[in-house]
Amino acid sequence: MSEQNYRAFWDEALHQIHEEYKQNGQEDYFKIWFKMEYVEDTLTEITVSVPSEFMWAQMVSKKFVDIVQDKIEELTGQKINLNHIIAEKNTSKSISLPSQESSAPADNVIQKAKQIPPEEHAVKKSVERSSSSKKHPSLNEDYTFDTFVPGENSQFAYNACIAASEEPGRKINPLLIYGGVGLGKTHLMESIGNAIYKEKGDSVKICYVTAENFTNEFTFSIKDKTTEKFKSKYRNLDVLLLDDIHFLQDKEATQEELFHTFEALYNAKKQMVFTCDRPITELKGIEDRLSTRFRRGMCIDLTPPNYETRRAILQKKLSLLGKPIPSDVVDYIAKNVQTNVRDLESCLNKMIGYAELLQKPLTIEIAQKELRDTFSQPSSGSIGIETIQKVVADHWNISLSDIKSKKRNKKFVIPRQIAIYIARLLTEYSFPELGNEFGGRDHTTAMHSYEKVEEQLKTDSSLDTTIQMLIREIKDYKK
């Protein structure tokens, strides 16, 4: 440890950054992305602990590390680099929010730094926690943060769930995760429960339940005159994990009970996590007072994983299973399954089963033959190009002929590009075929439209939300 200690500067830097995010209405964002715990320093470097290498990489890539370094340089007049170590999993981790003392003006910080004994800032020893190795009765033990593979489509949700598990009921509450089937909503939800249970064991009451089972249980309690027992069970939980809340649409009595359960848990600062297959604003038949409470905390969407993430998911699955699969077969599955994680795993399991049952080494030719039927059909049934064109055109209030026309006005170009992008996702049409379906265009034009939307999705989350909404409408469309 150096004689010149930067702890007070660190506290002041984090305090100022926290205030800036708070004033901009982004305090939850701060809590997720500035998860750094001060450890020690030298004359030129501060060492912090972070939850994982992945988290650190995201902090660096998203410039949050630079923000902290710049703020410290502003206070000290020196360039101080941040170094990192990975926090031990059984060590209590929290954001280094400054103490009340550190909220004093920056010109008092230097004097305070001299008064802090260096030995107080030595690396803390790991504290043994009372953890449970038992399986929780209502949780899937395979659903943990370690077995989830985060990518661009899910990293925000992944980090938010970790944050919720670290300070249940206080940091992010409630947390709502929404998105299509098979994208990992339940996995992340139960990971929160498993992380809390691993740390605190039977000292906390955790309940995972689907909205359908919650409804059935409530209905039976009315029939059996045991509603007080039902209320006591759910209103005295420490963690409520309620899956598939879209099932609650038009179920007024169940919504009424859930509203009162929500109020009881929220006021007691108990953690609640919900999942839904679409944004809350798109649900019909949900009482406004309940809908607003679902949105009170943080709402995060999950979207289909990109190619790199799909491949990483397959590799992780193979690693957990201890099964070798040729790289070109893995690559073939990752490129062709663009829907969700469940479909990815289904194809992978089929290949593993083939190799084990027939005792034959897998080849790309075998994969192409065995998965041909899987890849030749859209996952949601037969979806026609005209259905896609009509739904997209209706959304932008233009005609079907407009979306196929040669008109180059922005009013028509944007929906046309999005329709081509969706058609590429939901059908087996090639780019030449898509070009022909959209007014006899060249295949390069169709390809450009797809790539244009794909690029925009990397930076525009609202566009992604719109596309996911359109995809749901297309799948539900009845002629």
Side-chain angles (χ1 to χ4, degrees), residues 138-154:
S138 71
L139 297 173
N140 184 332
E141 61 186 337
D142 294 330
Y143 286 166
T144 68
F145 292 123
D146 288 338
T147 58
F148 189 89
V149 179
E152 287 186 3
N153 66 308
S154 59

Side-chain angles (χ1 to χ4, degrees), residues 45-94:
E45 186 176 80
I46 293 175
T47 298
V48 299
S49 67
V50 295
S52 66
E53 286 291 352
F54 173 82
M55 191 73 166
W56 176 257
Q58 296 303 310
M59 291 171 177
V60 171
S61 66
K62 295 177 181 296
K63 307 297 183 183
F64 297 117
V65 171
D66 289 345
I67 290 173
V68 177
Q69 289 181 160
D70 291 346
K71 182 63 71 173
I72 292 173
E73 183 177 2
E74 178 185 318
L75 295 174
T76 64
Q78 300 181 57
K79 181 68 175 177
I80 308 296
N81 294 318
L82 290 191
N83 188 20
H84 78 286
I85 60 174
I86 304 304
E88 294 186 31
K89 288 186 179 180
N90 289 332
T91 301
S92 179
K93 302 185 289 296
S94 62

